[in-house]
Amino acid sequence: MLEKKQEGKAVSQEIRTDLALEMRERFTDDNVEVKGVILDEEFREDGKIRISTVVIRDKQGAEAMRKPEGTYITVEAAELFAGGETEQRQAGMEIGRQLKRLCGQKKIKKLLVAGLGNREVTPDSLGPLVIDHLLITRHLVREYGEGFLQRQLQKELDAEVEVSAVAPGVMAQTGMEALEILRGIVRETKPDLVLVVDALAARSVERLNRTVQLTDTGICPGAGIGNNRQAINRESLGCTVIALGVPTVVDAVTIVMDSMETFLKTQGYTGREIGIFLSGIETLRSVDTMFVTPKSIDEEIRDMGRTISEAVNYCFFGI
Amino acid sequence: MLEKKQEGKAVSQEIRTDLALEMRERFTDDNVEVKGVILDEEFREDGKIRISTVVIRDKQGAEAMRKPEGTYITVEAAELFAGGETEQRQAGMEIGRQLKRLCGQKKIKKLLVAGLGNREVTPDSLGPLVIDHLLITRHLVREYGEGFLQRQLQKELDAEVEVSAVAPGVMAQTGMEALEILRGIVRETKPDLVLVVDALAARSVERLNRTVQLTDTGICPGAGIGNNRQAINRESLGCTVIALGVPTVVDAVTIVMDSMETFLKTQGYTGREIGIFLSGIETLRSVDTMFVTPKSIDEEIRDMGRTISEAVNYCFFGI
Amino acid sequence: MLEKKQEGKAVSQEIRTDLALEMRERFTDDNVEVKGVILDEEFREDGKIRISTVVIRDKQGAEAMRKPEGTYITVEAAELFAGGETEQRQAGMEIGRQLKRLCGQKKIKKLLVAGLGNREVTPDSLGPLVIDHLLITRHLVREYGEGFLQRQLQKELDAEVEVSAVAPGVMAQTGMEALEILRGIVRETKPDLVLVVDALAARSVERLNRTVQLTDTGICPGAGIGNNRQAINRESLGCTVIALGVPTVVDAVTIVMDSMETFLKTQGYTGREIGIFLSGIETLRSVDTMFVTPKSIDEEIRDMGRTISEAVNYCFFGI
Amino acid sequence: MLEKKQEGKAVSQEIRTDLALEMRERFTDDNVEVKGVILDEEFREDGKIRISTVVIRDKQGAEAMRKPEGTYITVEAAELFAGGETEQRQAGMEIGRQLKRLCGQKKIKKLLVAGLGNREVTPDSLGPLVIDHLLITRHLVREYGEGFLQRQLQKELDAEVEVSAVAPGVMAQTGMEALEILRGIVRETKPDLVLVVDALAARSVERLNRTVQLTDTGICPGAGIGNNRQAINRESLGCTVIALGVPTVVDAVTIVMDSMETFLKTQGYTGREIGIFLSGIETLRSVDTMFVTPKSIDEEIRDMGRTISEAVNYCFFGI
């Protein structure tokens, strides 16, 4: 969820990103070694899809990365997402495969998909949009019994997965934390796995609507842009949680600061000097409630929503 | 929720209505006395608002009316709802007053409003639309503490009511019963009162978007058009439940049968003969998945959604 | 356009339908021969698609049918439209073929598609929805020149058709007749053919969202439900006009009257007696501003909009 | 209209803004005197509304400002637009007064409002949204004659203004220039005045959704962000044209460059040195298809659309 920052807070010079990969790159840029963090990457589809896996193995790594321990898989596929239906389908299948990999050996029989975010705010509407295109099966399996889905889909299935879904809305609309709503539903319906889908903030504009992050650590809604919502994870929900996020905005402050920093480095300034300069920029105050988004965000978010639905359908039903 | 009927079911000749008042009128038409049912009516605003109260007092009344025991208040205000902003505001205030009356002595501190129905199907979108315009306060009261609302609203308040709201969606979208979602949220957030808002089916087209029914018996979503969802009431949720419903459709079968019946009566046929005739009409089969709705439903449902939001805001905050 | 009837008008007992085929059937029902009207039908796709061609050849036929002289092609494909994506694609291709047939020998280089109706009123939103999915090429052909489309579509094309499109809105939104807006645009951009897409009223609920009517006589918006808008045709626009319409509603009055009539016939009443009975029915007055529409209209209209876009794309670009 | 820039174009270091006031301020910043340009400002509502009038008097001024000769009135009202309904109403009335001032002595009997932009792209949807809330009267005056509006509005009116409106869509949707569509409609309906409403690009984020520019020079859609659409003005339409624009985005490039420039100035660099630095920044290339917009743009654009509708209604009907 891309909620507004609380007013009155000072503008931070910290990098704001929800992507573990971008946190990791940050250290690479600075030539710093990060203990407790493993990075691995491979390429698919003639190099058009790049899959990076960041594993944060221990507390030291978690502190350095300012993210919880766990596995973060990033699927980047600029050409595919920008392409036509065939290319998007290819990207969707790869995301589905990575989702399956993250599920591991665990047999999923009951899946709850939670589409976080605000349907009325375009770059924050990804979660609700994904819900709209999912194959929802829980009520069918429960009404028509085992074998119904196999017959309907005319496919051999490993399991007749009961898929349910909810778009809990944002706190300004409901007065409740997304966590509270999900915890209630989980207690009532007892899924094996909760898949939380959300829009994220990134550092790099090139990644917007071109990158998907999958992680088994859950999610802390709004964390990437400075909010502190309660985390949605195994501890808080009491069942396995996988978070799937797509960066749809860059904070306007981040854009300005990255540009400045790049420039100052070319001028030979040291990191410390740069920090002092940046902290004095007045303009940042005014852009602090702004975000940067592609001009074609409305179209891109619809495409991405459908691609992710297809990824989930592919992962659990092979369709 | 105005869900589709299950296919294959025979067309029933029973009257289909969610309004207790229309069930009651049915008996009046037939000159039948109904034991265990009390009817009372009064007029407001120079007769422009009619308030009918039906109390089903015992099991015998419940059986005759095919509705649970309890109080059903109907606010009819054809001119007001059709009118401009001032008239709609007047109607909203009256609904707010009747809602307060139904709450009785009970002091409400924590209110959950549940907007049932499908946002994507116009005549079924009333519940979600009401949610959009409510004053949501739970997160504010919890963050800023006692007295915050009074200062914000610049009003003396009886209580700083924590209002939360949710639009749980319909089963085809979520795979879950609305009841399951609500029960989970109620357990988690423990409201004193759940107000369930829903679109209803009526028997008379004159009542569409002109009538509001308030009842302390809860709701059985889809019951009026032949579905059997699990009831949402005190027993199933474990807290006080008030249902607020507005008829937005008439079943197409109802329209045809009512017209026929009226006609046959004028021709001197007996009730029994009429029943036999009606059961033989072929046309009914084809209209069984159809509903009748005003040509201006899109506009009317938006206005009605706002009016009901204002009624709730007025009831709990006097604004 | 499915506009509201003017108030104060008497309820007519005339059949209200925009479909020439239904007018023709009316006579068949009554065993009346209609001079000047030719009816022909054939079946496709194993009988799943029925194509009826009504030709009104002269003034006498036009008077009997209360429709202008010309050709009316009706494509009925209940199973196909209700089916999955493959079936809908099949239906779309057949509509595209019939559209080509109606264009005849005439070589179309510049096409203007006009999507009539009100985007905000679900059953009237077909025209605007069709526009949303069309392949719009006029600006591309004009900017990148001959051969651009062939290269883009990787297809041999008969012609690089310049497709433009407009959704002129309804008079309550614009203050202008659709005809005025279209006439202005036609004078400015000089298309060879104007294809007018609109939602229609039918007599039979079975035909709703299952039938497409194509005609070279143009259209008289709202005529089917009793409005008298200015006709959009060759005379008024000054270029060839083809109208493509889909019935999305049945007038509530029509449903009731058809049911009654069927019933009374089975009781042995004569046509004259039936007419007298029907004219006395009070209920009709109250349903006169109502229409009957399938409960799943929102979904059906989206599917139909996409199917018709594909028909147009197929007709002019073979894709 | 906020259309995408043509690809392949070099990133310009020129300031991109549609606001004459911001062009003028640019010179003030640089302490440059601009011949042929007059600037005047006054305050209203206890200083909460600032009204600036820029008059470009001759060719020299037009070249310096890179805008056509004419009058540009800017209404800035940060507090009011951000406020509640009362404040927005106040702002709307002031915009209405300035619109009347720009109309001058000319008696308007027939007004066409053109809402430019893409309804599907949030920050570009202002024009279509304004159309939705306007009082449309042309069809009423023509059907019910002189005096009808006076009776309906229960107001003494200077004139029964015939208001019509159209949202012509963007070229990617229609294949036609907005100018072509409007020229056709103007020839057909012969209005005295065309009021063109459009979303603009600004230089300063503080002005987004807080500023309205009114000008008698017409509009060149997309000019502020580097597109070259054909101008919509008296010459091209053949009648008086007033353009009303609201900045809803800042180009991402502009944000970065302004921040850098401010910073470099504080470091004592000269304008020439700054220019050289800025031209070498690589980051700009990647943000060139991005825009910056407030996080609450969806809500703000709805409020602004309603405020401008009210301004137009107030100007012509005093309501």
Side-chain angles (χ1 to χ4, degrees):
Chain A
M1 285 172 287
L2 309 168
E3 302 192 24
K4 280 173 264 181
K5 283 213 340 170
Q6 282 170 277
E7 288 173 50
K9 280 211 177 164
V11 176
S12 156
Q13 288 105 52
E14 288 181 10
I15 177 174
R16 302 189 200 172
T17 176
D18 289 313
L19 295 179
L21 183 61
E22 289 192 336
M23 283 302 286
R24 185 62 185 71
E25 288 171 347
R26 176 85 174 166
F27 295 111
T28 318
D29 293 355
D30 297 349
N31 256 321
V32 174
E33 204 187 325
V34 201
K35 287 215 172 127
V37 179
I38 295 168
L39 174 62
D40 177 66
E41 71 175 22
E42 59 176 315
F43 291 86
R44 297 279 168 83
E45 308 285 348
D46 299 328
K48 279 184 282 187
I49 301 184
R50 177 189 173 212
I51 295 160
S52 315
T53 308
V54 172
V55 182
I56 303 183
R57 285 198 308 180
D58 55 26
K59 222 179 141 188
Q60 196 179 358
E63 268 166 26
M65 297 280 286
R66 266 170 291 152
K67 303 225 171 289
E69 294 173 46
T71 301
Y72 301 81
I73 300 173
T74 311
V75 180
E76 293 171 272
E79 278 181 63
L80 296 190
F81 290 126
E85 282 184 34
T86 315
E87 286 81 2
Q88 287 176 18
R89 174 96 184 124
Q90 237 177 328
M93 285 166 72
E94 189 55 43
I95 298 165
R97 267 178 232 119
Q98 296 302 324
L99 178 55
K100 192 153 210 145
R101 183 182 144 212
L102 206 54
C103 289
Q105 299 300 322
K106 197 173 160 61
K107 189 97 167 191
I108 308 298
K109 285 278 294 176
K110 295 166 75 178
L111 168 68
L112 171 64
V113 183
L116 305 191
N118 187 344
R119 188 184 286 277
E120 302 300 312
V121 175
T122 310
D124 198 25
S125 64
L126 181 75
L129 284 175
V130 166
I131 299 299
D132 290 349
H133 294 96
L134 277 184
L135 184 60
I136 304 294
T137 60
R138 181 175 179 267
H139 58 306
L140 301 173
V141 173
R142 291 164 79 94
E143 186 158 352
Y144 301 107
E146 279 294 315
F148 176 76
L149 289 182
Q150 297 215 41
R151 289 191 302 275
Q152 281 294 102
L153 300 174
Q154 301 182 319
K155 278 211 72 148
E156 191 90 13
L157 294 175
D158 287 350
E160 304 252 313
V161 186
E162 294 181 17
V163 179
S164 57
V166 68
V170 296
M171 204 158 70
Q173 297 169 326
T174 65
M176 299 178 279
E177 300 276 356
L179 173 60
E180 294 178 291
I181 295 176
L182 295 183
R183 196 157 49 195
I185 294 173
V186 165
R187 283 190 191 166
E188 196 68 25
T189 63
K190 300 190 175 36
D192 310 319
L193 171 64
V194 175
L195 176 65
V196 183
V197 180
D198 203 0
L200 305 177
R203 183 188 175 189
S204 150
V205 293
E206 278 93 357
R207 287 218 166 84
L208 296 186
N209 300 314
R210 301 281 177 271
T211 298
V212 174
Q213 174 177 277
L214 292 154
T215 171
D216 56 8
T217 61
I219 202 164
C220 190
I225 55 163
N227 276 308
N228 284 309
R229 283 288 102 72
Q230 291 161 266
I232 297 171
N233 54 30
R234 170 181 285 280
E235 283 68 44
S236 61
L237 283 189
C239 75
T240 306
V241 175
I242 289 180
L244 186 162
V246 177
T248 61
V249 299
V250 175
D251 213 90
V253 170
T254 302
I255 294 271
V256 173
M257 291 191 38
D258 270 17
S259 301
M260 300 281 288
E261 195 179 327
T262 308
F263 169 72
L264 291 169
K265 275 185 187 159
T266 65
Q267 301 297 309
Y269 288 94
T270 67
R272 203 163 167 283
E273 285 168 325
I274 292 172
I276 293 166
F277 282 148
L278 294 185
S279 65
I281 305 177
E282 275 304 302
T283 324
L284 293 188
R285 200 164 295 279
S286 68
V287 298
D288 202 33
T289 57
M290 303 280 149
F291 54 49
V292 175
T293 199
K295 287 170 186 173
S296 48
I297 178 70
D298 294 68
E299 201 182 318
E300 290 184 12
I301 208 111
R302 273 195 299 270
D303 285 352
M304 183 52 97
R306 206 180 37 242
T307 297
I308 292 173
S309 303
E310 288 175 358
V312 176
N313 292 342
Y314 181 74
C315 177
F316 293 100
F317 300 107
I319 56 165
Chain B
M1 284 172 287
L2 308 167
E3 302 194 23
K4 281 174 266 182
K5 283 213 338 169
Q6 282 169 278
E7 287 172 52
K9 280 211 177 164
V11 176
S12 157
Q13 288 105 52
E14 287 181 11
I15 176 173
R16 301 189 200 173
T17 175
D18 288 314
L19 295 180
L21 182 61
E22 290 192 335
M23 283 303 286
R24 185 60 187 73
E25 287 170 347
R26 177 85 174 165
F27 295 111
T28 317
D29 293 356
D30 297 350
N31 256 322
V32 174
E33 203 188 325
V34 201
K35 287 216 173 125
V37 179
I38 296 168
L39 175 61
D40 177 67
E41 70 175 23
E42 59 176 315
F43 291 86
R44 295 279 168 84
E45 308 285 348
D46 299 328
K48 279 183 283 187
I49 300 184
R50 176 189 175 211
I51 295 160
S52 315
T53 308
V54 172
V55 183
I56 303 183
R57 283 198 310 181
D58 55 26
K59 224 180 140 185
Q60 197 178 358
E63 267 166 28
M65 297 280 287
R66 266 171 291 152
K67 302 223 171 291
E69 294 172 46
T71 301
Y72 301 81
I73 300 172
T74 311
V75 179
E76 293 172 271
E79 278 181 63
L80 296 189
F81 290 127
E85 283 184 33
T86 315
E87 286 81 2
Q88 287 176 18
R89 173 98 185 122
Q90 236 176 331
M93 285 166 71
E94 189 56 43
I95 298 165
R97 267 178 231 118
Q98 297 300 325
L99 178 54
K100 193 154 210 144
R101 184 182 144 212
L102 206 54
C103 290
Q105 300 299 323
K106 198 173 158 61
K107 188 97 169 192
I108 309 299
K109 285 276 296 176
K110 294 166 75 179
L111 168 68
L112 171 64
V113 183
L116 304 191
N118 187 344
R119 188 184 287 278
E120 303 299 311
V121 176
T122 310
D124 198 25
S125 63
L126 181 76
L129 283 175
V130 166
I131 299 299
D132 290 349
H133 293 96
L134 277 185
L135 184 61
I136 304 295
T137 60
R138 181 175 179 266
H139 58 306
L140 300 173
V141 172
R142 291 164 80 94
E143 184 158 353
Y144 301 108
E146 279 295 314
F148 175 76
L149 290 181
Q150 297 216 40
R151 289 190 303 274
Q152 281 294 101
L153 300 173
Q154 300 183 319
K155 278 210 72 147
E156 192 90 12
L157 296 174
D158 286 350
E160 305 252 313
V161 186
E162 294 181 14
V163 179
S164 57
V166 68
V170 296
M171 205 158 71
Q173 298 169 326
T174 65
M176 299 179 278
E177 299 276 357
L179 173 61
E180 294 177 292
I181 296 176
L182 295 183
R183 195 157 49 196
I185 294 173
V186 166
R187 282 192 192 162
E188 196 69 25
T189 63
K190 300 190 175 36
D192 308 319
L193 170 65
V194 176
L195 176 65
V196 183
V197 180
D198 202 359
L200 305 177
R203 183 187 176 191
S204 152
V205 294
E206 278 94 358
R207 287 217 167 85
L208 297 186
N209 299 314
R210 303 280 178 271
T211 298
V212 174
Q213 174 176 275
L214 292 154
T215 171
D216 56 7
T217 61
I219 201 163
C220 190
I225 55 163
N227 276 306
N228 284 309
R229 283 288 104 71
Q230 292 160 267
I232 297 171
N233 54 29
R234 170 182 285 280
E235 283 66 46
S236 62
L237 283 190
C239 73
T240 306
V241 174
I242 290 180
L244 186 160
V246 177
T248 61
V249 299
V250 175
D251 212 88
V253 171
T254 303
I255 293 272
V256 173
M257 291 190 39
D258 269 17
S259 302
M260 301 281 287
E261 195 179 328
T262 309
F263 169 72
L264 291 169
K265 274 187 187 158
T266 65
Q267 301 298 308
Y269 288 95
T270 67
R272 203 163 166 283
E273 287 168 322
I274 293 174
I276 293 166
F277 282 148
L278 294 185
S279 64
I281 306 177
E282 274 305 302
T283 324
L284 293 187
R285 200 164 294 280
S286 67
V287 298
D288 202 33
T289 56
M290 302 280 150
F291 55 48
V292 176
T293 197
K295 287 172 184 170
S296 48
I297 178 70
D298 295 67
E299 201 181 318
E300 291 185 12
I301 207 111
R302 274 196 296 271
D303 285 353
M304 184 53 97
R306 205 178 39 240
T307 297
I308 292 174
S309 303
E310 288 175 359
V312 177
N313 293 341
Y314 181 74
C315 176
F316 293 101
F317 300 108
I319 56 165
Chain C
M1 284 173 286
L2 308 168
E3 303 194 23
K4 279 174 267 181
K5 284 213 338 170
Q6 282 170 275
E7 287 173 50
K9 280 211 177 164
V11 176
S12 156
Q13 288 105 52
E14 287 180 11
I15 176 172
R16 301 189 201 173
T17 176
D18 288 314
L19 296 179
L21 183 61
E22 289 192 336
M23 283 302 286
R24 185 61 187 70
E25 288 170 347
R26 177 85 174 165
F27 295 111
T28 318
D29 292 355
D30 296 349
N31 255 323
V32 175
E33 203 189 323
V34 201
K35 287 214 172 127
V37 179
I38 296 168
L39 175 62
D40 177 66
E41 71 175 21
E42 59 176 315
F43 291 86
R44 296 279 168 83
E45 309 284 348
D46 300 326
K48 279 184 282 186
I49 300 184
R50 176 189 174 211
I51 295 160
S52 316
T53 307
V54 173
V55 183
I56 303 183
R57 283 199 308 181
D58 55 27
K59 223 178 143 187
Q60 195 179 0
E63 268 166 27
M65 297 280 287
R66 266 171 291 152
K67 301 225 172 291
E69 294 172 46
T71 301
Y72 300 82
I73 300 173
T74 311
V75 180
E76 292 171 274
E79 279 182 64
L80 297 190
F81 291 127
E85 283 185 33
T86 314
E87 286 81 3
Q88 286 176 20
R89 173 96 185 124
Q90 236 176 330
M93 284 165 72
E94 189 55 44
I95 299 165
R97 267 178 232 119
Q98 297 301 325
L99 178 55
K100 193 153 211 144
R101 183 182 144 211
L102 207 54
C103 289
Q105 301 299 323
K106 197 173 159 60
K107 188 95 169 193
I108 308 299
K109 285 277 295 177
K110 294 165 77 178
L111 168 68
L112 171 64
V113 183
L116 304 191
N118 187 343
R119 186 184 288 277
E120 303 299 311
V121 176
T122 310
D124 197 26
S125 62
L126 181 76
L129 284 175
V130 167
I131 298 300
D132 290 349
H133 294 96
L134 277 185
L135 184 60
I136 303 295
T137 60
R138 180 174 180 267
H139 58 306
L140 300 173
V141 173
R142 292 163 79 93
E143 184 158 353
Y144 301 107
E146 279 295 314
F148 176 75
L149 290 181
Q150 297 215 41
R151 289 191 303 273
Q152 281 294 101
L153 300 173
Q154 301 182 321
K155 278 209 71 145
E156 192 91 12
L157 295 175
D158 286 350
E160 305 252 313
V161 186
E162 294 181 17
V163 180
S164 57
V166 69
V170 296
M171 205 159 70
Q173 297 169 327
T174 65
M176 299 179 279
E177 300 276 357
L179 173 61
E180 294 178 292
I181 296 176
L182 295 183
R183 194 157 49 196
I185 294 174
V186 166
R187 283 193 190 162
E188 195 69 26
T189 63
K190 301 191 174 34
D192 308 320
L193 170 64
V194 175
L195 176 65
V196 183
V197 181
D198 203 0
L200 304 178
R203 182 188 177 191
S204 152
V205 294
E206 278 93 358
R207 288 216 167 85
L208 297 187
N209 299 313
R210 301 280 178 271
T211 299
V212 174
Q213 173 176 276
L214 291 154
T215 171
D216 56 7
T217 61
I219 202 164
C220 189
I225 55 161
N227 275 308
N228 284 310
R229 283 288 103 72
Q230 291 160 266
I232 298 172
N233 54 29
R234 171 182 285 281
E235 283 67 44
S236 61
L237 282 191
C239 73
T240 305
V241 175
I242 289 180
L244 186 161
V246 177
T248 60
V249 299
V250 176
D251 212 87
V253 171
T254 302
I255 294 271
V256 174
M257 291 188 41
D258 269 18
S259 302
M260 300 281 289
E261 195 179 328
T262 308
F263 169 72
L264 292 169
K265 276 185 186 160
T266 67
Q267 300 298 307
Y269 289 95
T270 65
R272 203 161 167 285
E273 287 168 323
I274 292 174
I276 293 166
F277 281 148
L278 294 185
S279 64
I281 305 177
E282 274 305 302
T283 323
L284 294 186
R285 199 164 296 279
S286 68
V287 298
D288 201 33
T289 57
M290 303 281 149
F291 54 49
V292 175
T293 199
K295 286 171 186 170
S296 48
I297 178 71
D298 295 66
E299 202 182 317
E300 291 185 11
I301 207 112
R302 274 195 298 270
D303 285 352
M304 185 52 97
R306 205 179 37 242
T307 297
I308 292 174
S309 304
E310 289 174 359
V312 177
N313 292 342
Y314 181 74
C315 176
F316 293 101
F317 300 108
I319 55 165
Chain D
M1 285 174 286
L2 308 168
E3 302 192 24
K4 280 174 264 181
K5 282 215 338 170
Q6 283 171 276
E7 287 172 49
K9 280 209 176 167
V11 177
S12 156
Q13 288 106 53
E14 287 181 11
I15 177 174
R16 302 189 199 172
T17 176
D18 287 314
L19 295 180
L21 182 62
E22 289 191 337
M23 283 303 285
R24 184 61 186 71
E25 287 171 347
R26 176 85 175 165
F27 295 112
T28 319
D29 293 355
D30 297 351
N31 256 322
V32 176
E33 204 187 324
V34 201
K35 287 217 172 125
V37 179
I38 295 167
L39 174 62
D40 177 66
E41 72 176 20
E42 59 177 314
F43 291 86
R44 296 277 167 85
E45 309 285 348
D46 299 328
K48 280 184 281 186
I49 300 183
R50 177 189 173 209
I51 295 161
S52 316
T53 308
V54 172
V55 182
I56 304 183
R57 285 199 308 181
D58 55 27
K59 222 179 143 188
Q60 195 178 1
E63 268 167 26
M65 297 280 287
R66 266 170 291 153
K67 302 222 171 291
E69 294 173 45
T71 301
Y72 300 82
I73 300 173
T74 312
V75 179
E76 292 172 273
E79 279 182 62
L80 298 190
F81 290 127
E85 284 183 33
T86 315
E87 286 81 4
Q88 287 176 17
R89 173 96 185 123
Q90 237 176 331
M93 285 166 72
E94 189 55 43
I95 299 165
R97 268 179 231 119
Q98 297 301 324
L99 178 55
K100 194 154 210 143
R101 184 182 143 211
L102 206 54
C103 289
Q105 300 299 322
K106 196 174 161 61
K107 190 96 167 192
I108 308 298
K109 284 278 295 176
K110 296 166 75 178
L111 168 68
L112 171 64
V113 183
L116 304 192
N118 187 343
R119 188 185 288 276
E120 303 299 311
V121 176
T122 311
D124 198 26
S125 63
L126 181 76
L129 284 175
V130 167
I131 298 299
D132 290 349
H133 293 96
L134 276 185
L135 183 61
I136 304 295
T137 60
R138 180 174 179 267
H139 57 308
L140 301 173
V141 172
R142 292 163 78 96
E143 184 157 353
Y144 301 107
E146 279 295 314
F148 175 76
L149 290 181
Q150 297 215 40
R151 288 192 302 275
Q152 281 294 101
L153 300 173
Q154 301 182 318
K155 279 210 71 149
E156 192 90 14
L157 295 175
D158 286 350
E160 304 252 314
V161 186
E162 295 181 15
V163 179
S164 56
V166 68
V170 296
M171 204 157 72
Q173 298 170 325
T174 65
M176 300 178 279
E177 300 275 357
L179 173 60
E180 293 178 292
I181 296 176
L182 295 183
R183 196 157 49 195
I185 295 173
V186 166
R187 281 191 193 165
E188 196 68 26
T189 63
K190 299 191 175 37
D192 309 319
L193 170 66
V194 175
L195 176 65
V196 183
V197 180
D198 203 359
L200 305 177
R203 183 187 177 191
S204 151
V205 293
E206 278 95 357
R207 287 216 167 85
L208 297 186
N209 299 314
R210 302 279 178 271
T211 298
V212 174
Q213 174 176 276
L214 292 154
T215 171
D216 56 8
T217 61
I219 201 163
C220 190
I225 56 161
N227 276 306
N228 284 310
R229 283 288 101 72
Q230 291 161 268
I232 298 171
N233 54 29
R234 170 182 285 280
E235 282 67 46
S236 61
L237 282 190
C239 74
T240 306
V241 175
I242 289 179
L244 186 160
V246 177
T248 62
V249 299
V250 175
D251 212 88
V253 171
T254 302
I255 293 271
V256 173
M257 291 189 40
D258 270 17
S259 302
M260 301 282 287
E261 194 179 328
T262 309
F263 169 73
L264 291 169
K265 275 185 187 159
T266 65
Q267 301 298 309
Y269 289 94
T270 67
R272 201 162 168 284
E273 287 168 324
I274 293 172
I276 292 166
F277 281 149
L278 294 184
S279 64
I281 305 177
E282 274 305 301
T283 324
L284 294 187
R285 200 163 294 277
S286 69
V287 297
D288 202 32
T289 57
M290 303 280 148
F291 55 48
V292 175
T293 198
K295 287 171 185 172
S296 49
I297 178 71
D298 295 68
E299 200 182 320
E300 291 185 12
I301 206 113
R302 274 196 298 272
D303 285 353
M304 184 53 97
R306 206 179 38 243
T307 297
I308 293 174
S309 303
E310 289 175 358
V312 176
N313 292 342
Y314 181 75
C315 176
F316 293 101
F317 301 107
I319 56 164

